[in-house]
Amino acid sequence: MPGKPEEIKMVSNAMANIPRRKMMAFLVGSEKTAEEIGGAIGKSMLDYHLKILQQAGLIEMEEGKVKLSEFGKNFMEGKAEKTQDASADLSEAKPVAITEVRQLLPCIADSTKFRIIAKMAPPLGGALKPLEPLFPRGRYSERIGALIIQRGDVLITIYGTGNVTMTMIKDEAEARETLERLKETINEAISKGMAPAPREKVRVEPMEIYKYLPQTNCGECGEQSCYSFAIRLMSGEVSLDLCTPLKDPKYRGNFEHLQVLVEYI
């Protein structure tokens, strides 16, 4: 069973990728052939993904069959227990309302768009986390206590305190319409007392990653181009912090979007 730091890192890298997580879930209960896995999950980079899982000690491959290793079985059981414990109970949450849209400020990334600061009441606090499955491009950040949602170029952050920020908004009318849709989605879940079960997030493609990279092809990350960096980022071989130009304030909006996207790679 992995225990050394380098082994733990290999497991984390293996499970940081959506296709590989799907493969692990597909193997729970019975062994499968590589062809069966490719048919269910997708054949793109199949051999590469299986090799990563095998190197991490999560699967075993023998005579054309793929199965979970003992460590892999224990790992998946632990995940199932964790998911069950984190049940999305919203019975204590109260319906919310948008009480004010306080500021419209020009976005750093695009001066023709706006950054909006609004208020949602009552504050949802810990009820935000179980709401994550409502949004295909949503993730809850424990670090800042907020639900971050991506809708096209618009990035929405709902804080447990009730504050809401949105970037890349066209105007106040779009801001109010977006906030109204958010309120309705959240209140519908609250009225049922239970958020929907976690669902698979929208697939992220290399071109979508590339869209938000600086596209300078500077080579400071060690790659020949920003597109090759996007491909390696997709496979979990490099990290976002290697892109030096993203640290420039003018790419702040791009960086915020990329932080959300890499959560679903």
Side-chain angles (χ1 to χ4, degrees), residues 120-193:
M120 182 180 285
L124 284 164
L128 275 174
K129 187 170 184 177
L131 291 172
E132 182 185 84
L134 291 171
F135 308 98
R137 284 273 173 84
R139 70 178 178 90
Y140 182 77
S141 170
E142 298 278 2
R143 183 177 61 83
I144 62 173
L147 179 60
I148 304 169
I149 304 161
Q150 184 197 23
R151 288 183 173 173
D153 288 336
V154 176
L155 199 63
I156 306 162
T157 306
I158 307 173
Y159 294 89
T161 59
N163 289 331
V164 182
T165 64
M166 296 189 291
T167 63
M168 301 297 284
I169 290 289
K170 208 169 40 175
D171 51 33
E172 186 174 349
E174 184 185 32
R176 292 189 180 278
E177 182 182 347
T178 302
L179 288 165
E180 186 64 24
R181 288 203 305 268
L182 274 177
K183 182 195 76 173
E184 290 175 357
T185 301
I186 291 170
N187 284 345
E188 183 179 356
I190 289 174
S191 69
K192 294 176 180 177

Side-chain angles (χ1 to χ4, degrees), residues 203-225:
R203 180 178 172 81
V204 178
E205 300 291 344
M207 277 304 298
E208 188 170 9
I209 296 289
Y210 176 71
K211 173 184 174 182
Y212 291 106
L213 289 172
Q215 300 179 26
T216 58
N217 299 324
C218 64
E220 291 186 39
C221 62
E223 299 299 319
Q224 293 183 349
S225 67

